[in-house]
Amino acid sequence: MAHLQPPPTSPPAHCFVKRTFHKPVYCHHCTDLLWGIIGQGYTCEVCNFVVHDKCMKTVVSPCSSVAPTLIKTPVAHCWSEPLHLRRRHCNVCRKKLDDTWAIKCEVCEYNVHVECEDFTVPNCKDCATFVPEKNLSQVVQQHHWREGNLPANSKCVVDKKTCWTGECLAGLRCEWCGYTVHAMCADKVPADCTFGLLEPIMLPPTAVSIPRTEVPMEAIIGVQTRRKDTLSPRSISEEFPSGDYKVRESDELSRDRTKDRDEKDEEVVKVFDGNSSLRRRMFRLVTVSRAASVTEFLTAAMRAFHVPQENTKTYLTDAYSAEETELTDPLPVSKLTRRDGKRPAVFLRYREKDNDEGCIRVYPSRLGGEVVMDHTVLPVTSSTCVTDIIAHSLHKFGITNDNPDDYRLVEVMLDKGVSERVMECNERPWDLLKAVARDSIRQMEMTRFYLQLVKDPHGPSIALFVGSLPPNLSQRQYENILADIVGKAGYKYSSIGPIYYEYGSMVITYEDSDLAVRAFYTLRESCYDDKNLLVMLLPNIQPQMIPEGVQPLLVFVNVKSGGCQGLELITSFRKLLNPYQVFDLDNGGPLPGLYVFRQVKHYKILVCGGDGTIGWVLQCLDNVGQDSECQHPACAIVPLGTGNDLARVLRWGPGYNGGEDPINLLKDVIDAEDIRLDRWTVVFHQDEKVEEKQMQTNSTGMSRRGMYIAHGQDSNRRRCISKEQVHHSIHGSTSEDNTQIFVMNNYFGIGIEAELCLDFHNAREENPNKFNSRLHNKGVYVKMGLRKMVSRKLCKDLHKEIRLEVDGRAVDLPPVEGVIILNILSWGSGANPWGPEKDDQFNKPNHWDGHLEVVGVTGIVHLGQIQSGLRSAIRIAQGGHIRIKLNSELPVQVDGEPWNQAPGEVVVLKSALKATMLKKTSKSKLRRRNTEPSMVANEQTKLEPIRGDPASTSHPL
């Protein structure tokens, strides 16, 4: 049997034993291959760390048994659902994840096997670290190192050598700035992190605060978790199988393994670490020699649970014996009780008898700049209470002038996440730890204490965003709905507002965190009109903590666009940026993000979606911009839709296909230039003689994304458009009840083109799941166009059914079946109906000149020729004020959203609304992701101080 005691030269916590490897193995420290025939290297008995003999004295990576104790501020991971991860290694057991079920953190690069989840280290990125007592000059952002799974070809920023490998878990990478280094080089990198290449658009964690509540981070950032509670068992139970994600051994394989163990004279024993694990049937399996002593057996059991306790403080008992007594026999394995052919089982227990004193660690929890200690160790006895610990801790931390009543002690448990509990003044922590040890020794090891102020640094204002209510109700009606849900339960809010009437959404504010949490869960479990309410707990951004010159990037991702590309992008952006600046449009739309950024004076927006998504975001900006510090933030685009015409004009490409590195997308946003986009008001007025029934049939109301607003549904929008302007445009002959007002960003069509768009829209509404591919969508368009060629032509002789007036002058129309009014020179997935420049009476068009271009198409064949670039449309007119008289019901579309419009009048005029867009500059030199050249600006000049002077205070980024 292998020697269980670590050799004298072993680094702290690792328990290395010499091993002979029968296949190629690489050192986890230097990444070199272990050469030799026998005894090539050492392996840690707990975490499987493999190392050369020559590297043992320089190993800096901690063993997983002590890694949780090295965390200063624990932050729980946001786990994904179980999946298969290729070319990744587990951050707990260091083995490959191929062909096994694994989970990954949605915020950081932490990947583990499902069965290793119990031993994960809760050291996710701390993304909200605001401390009221610190100003901008006092805060220092630290590197957040993550071991292993580095991007290919990563180089160390210190010695410029390759530091990645696909063979083992090796190398370190900062989750914030992207530095990659060898483990032994990390201490040569300056301690302060400036976020590297992404500094100009990063929302600093020191500028974000979240309330101290039990609401998990997943609920705040909107991560959709669909995992089952049964997917993370501690082990496979014979009595209760643990689920579908465990691989069962075949009978033949089990018999072979049992035969091998019999030949080796070994025994497999179940180990429970307390009463709780026995109740849940969760245990670990250890293989020990039948001739093992009590000490060897005990050491193996402790390593199975990653418990670094001293042997003298723990002992083993027979779980199946009539009376639970300590194992003292020189050969305890052979004396264990066996039940009906099941494996023997033991308890791992903590010695409580004659153990009335010990030591606990107390950590400061954001107590301000005057505390410089990471933690303090306090001796305690069974009579020491919380009040005594608070007083002693304040003295240790150098806080002597404050009132101890302003502080509280919090019990924090790191087992399977992070759970907190505020302790009462008369509780005794040492007795509490011994009680926890009865249930689970590992939970005792994972329990620590934090000293924090009673007053929450987040402040008294806790905002909840509530959505999915009926739109366009009065404030009193919304208040009555909320009163029925949270008021009757006693969770009355302090204030309400702003209210987004047209979206059925609002923000309610609480001054008590406990009430806010109860209201949060009550609202989340409530329904109104058979719809589940949407509720989000919103973070706070402190604008004074954002450095000068930094414009944080507010990212909106439509996860339903582009197939799975939206989900992949939002995960990548959460890891590259602060997750509190990345919002899923499937959770409340753009409004929560715009509300969170309302006090930031300068920021940018990145919209990941199609043209409809961009219009959605711009519309929400129109509604909330007047109440924000930054009324017109510049918007960039990652095209995920089918057409992506606005993205094409602004040089963001025809469509994101997943091939471009997300960090290059963010770099392009940093380098992009501001440009103005004209926006236009489209006023539809139906003839008064149209029957009310027909009007109700043809009126669109709000579209599926809330882009189109019928009269009376958008009071904010209507305030932005002068009533006198609208009244003058339609000669005062309209009745307000028959008027609809929209905002156009791209184009407006009437006739055959809008009819084709309407057919596609109806087909997608009937089967939305089939329209998740850009190629499939274009194929459907072609198929529908071919059908139109042989079917009845609804828009034949369109020029006889409409009358066009541009800038007050009547324009004679040629024989056409469709009219398109262009604001941008891209239509129908990149086609240019206006055509190339030529010598005629028209000016060169662009999207900021205050003019629209009017073109005509003669039929489906002409549309196909325009799409293929063989022909251009018929140029009809240019102007800034267009009026169209519809003599019959005709299909129309605004920015790709179609409907049938009743006879009446259409007026297109310059909108008072503004939009500032970001135009991608010329393609910069491609850079490799997460390597030293890609994340560092002016690398050669700024990285020299690292090699010459490791203590230099200048940051290489």
Side-chain angles (χ1 to χ4, degrees), residues 174-196:
C174 177
E175 301 270 17
W176 290 113
C177 67
Y179 261 11
T180 52
V181 296
H182 294 103
M184 71 285 284
C185 298
D187 59 347
K188 299 178 183 179
V189 178
D192 57 323
C193 175
T194 56
F195 305 112

Side-chain angles (χ1 to χ4, degrees), residues 916-928:
T916 303
M917 307 301 293
L918 286 170
K919 185 176 182 179
K920 185 178 179 180
T921 56
S922 57
K923 190 68 176 178
S924 59
K925 185 179 179 181
L926 287 176
R927 296 181 175 183
R928 292 174 297 174

Side-chain angles (χ1 to χ4, degrees), residues 334-360:
S334 60
K335 304 298 183 180
L336 293 176
T337 305
R338 289 162 174 78
R339 284 186 180 178
D340 302 330
K342 295 180 181 178
R343 293 189 178 105
V346 296
F347 276 117
L348 180 61
R349 295 294 192 183
Y350 183 77
R351 295 190 185 277
E352 297 185 34
K353 188 177 181 181
D354 301 327
N355 194 4
D356 294 332
E357 60 183 21
C359 293
I360 64 171

Side-chain angles (χ1 to χ4, degrees), residues 586-727:
D586 207 25
N587 294 327
L591 293 174
L594 295 175
Y595 177 83
V596 170
F597 273 67
R598 70 194 184 283
Q599 295 179 344
V600 181
K601 293 183 179 179
H602 304 287
Y603 69 94
K604 299 178 181 179
I605 293 178
L606 176 62
V607 182
C608 305
D611 288 342
T613 305
I614 301 165
W616 186 15
V617 173
L618 292 178
Q619 177 195 339
C620 291
L621 270 175
D622 299 336
N623 294 335
V624 306
Q626 54 193 342
D627 300 323
S628 305
E629 289 288 335
C630 183
Q631 297 187 6
H632 303 291
C635 299
I637 305 169
V638 176
L640 299 180
T642 301
N644 304 314
D645 291 298
L646 184 56
R648 295 170 190 266
V649 171
L650 299 176
R651 297 181 180 173
W652 295 105
Y656 177 75
N657 56 15
E660 189 169 3
D661 199 319
I663 198 170
N664 287 332
L665 298 176
L666 297 177
K667 180 186 179 300
D668 291 336
V669 174
I670 296 173
D671 297 335
E673 58 185 15
D674 291 6
I675 194 168
R676 191 179 74 250
L677 175 69
D678 288 340
R679 304 181 72 196
W680 301 85
T681 301
V682 184
V683 183
F684 291 89
H685 174 69
Q686 296 180 8
D687 289 341
E688 294 182 356
K689 62 182 180 179
V690 177
E691 296 180 0
E692 182 179 359
K693 181 178 179 181
Q694 182 181 0
M695 180 183 65
Q696 293 175 349
T697 302
N698 295 331
S699 177
T700 60
M702 295 188 68
S703 75
R704 68 183 187 278
R705 290 187 178 132
M707 287 185 57
Y708 297 125
I709 298 92
H711 168 73
Q713 291 188 353
D714 194 350
S715 56
N716 290 335
R717 172 73 57 82
R718 192 169 291 279
R719 284 197 299 270
C720 297
I721 303 174
S722 168
K723 285 187 177 182
E724 290 78 8
Q725 188 179 11
V726 176
H727 181 79

